[in-house]
Amino acid sequence: MKLYSPNRAEHILRSLDSDIEGICSMVNLPSAVLKAVLYKEITDIDFFDPLADAIVAFNWQRVYLLNHLPDLEGNQNKSGFFRKFDSSTGYGQIFARTAILAIRFATTHGIITTETLGLGMGQTFSPDSPADVFEIWKKLHRERSFNLACSSLNLLFAAWDRKNFGLRLAL
């Protein structure tokens, strides 16, 4: 069951128009490209998406408690369905690991700075670092403009990757 109808998605995109235009202008991406992807992603959001986000939030809270309450230390079950630590989130439905790769691509190519994204000057992130994944996932989940910016950077990264197929950048 989808959460957003096509009409609702169009209304959401109209309400985000100035944010989308600003982000796309900053990264030199036609806004129609981002809007098309956002429309597709928004209309595909179903009731499993908030559930996946809740599971991710629950698991990160569980990790926090396990690390701060020594009595629970031996109870760390690392397998099973509910061991999800990343999910596609927000209107862009972007995973934290995907966003990290897009951010690294964009900063490496001088498209944007981490400071412009609100991440601190010169900060680097690794998709293999649980702490980095969690920090980016929280920001993607909570901050709409950050989610839109990372979605736009991911489109640029995907276009570059497709154009340079086989020439993977050592991100």
Side-chain angles (χ1 to χ4, degrees), residues 19-32 34-35 152:
D19 289 338
I20 292 169
E21 293 295 332
I23 289 165
C24 288
S25 174
M26 187 171 38
V27 300
N28 200 24
L29 178 73
S31 62
L34 181 57
K35 287 177 183 178
S152 70

Side-chain angles (χ1 to χ4, degrees), residues 75-148:
N75 297 320
Q76 297 184 27
N77 178 8
K78 297 188 189 298
S79 63
F81 174 75
F82 292 106
R83 304 304 301 152
K84 187 171 184 62
F85 290 95
D86 195 3
S87 64
S88 59
T89 193
Y91 289 145
Q93 286 296 288
I94 186 168
F95 283 83
R97 285 179 178 86
T98 302
I100 289 170
L101 292 174
I103 291 165
R104 289 176 71 168
F105 163 79
T107 56
T108 300
H109 284 83
I111 296 168
I112 201 164
T113 65
T114 54
E115 188 175 34
T116 302
L117 289 169
L119 297 171
M121 188 184 312
Q123 194 166 355
T124 59
F125 295 90
S126 170
D128 299 320
S129 164
D132 290 353
V133 169
F134 182 50
E135 182 176 342
I136 296 298
W137 184 85
K138 280 191 308 187
K139 200 162 173 67
L140 288 167
H141 185 70
R142 295 176 181 167
E143 297 178 25
R144 186 171 295 145
S145 62
F146 182 73
N147 188 286
L148 298 175

Side-chain angles (χ1 to χ4, degrees), residues 8-64:
R8 180 70 179 134
E10 290 173 12
H11 175 74
I12 290 167
L13 290 175
R14 280 193 301 277
S15 74
L16 296 172
D17 194 54
S18 64
D19 289 338
I20 292 169
E21 293 295 332
I23 289 165
C24 288
S25 174
M26 187 171 38
V27 300
N28 200 24
L29 178 73
S31 62
V33 174
L34 181 57
K35 287 177 183 178
V37 170
L38 290 172
Y39 178 84
K40 168 73 169 106
E41 293 299 338
I42 291 169
T43 56
D44 280 349
I45 294 173
D46 60 27
F47 72 94
F48 286 114
D49 290 297
L51 177 61
D53 287 344
I55 291 169
V56 168
F58 170 79
N59 282 322
W60 284 113
Q61 185 63 37
R62 184 173 176 265
V63 166
Y64 174 82

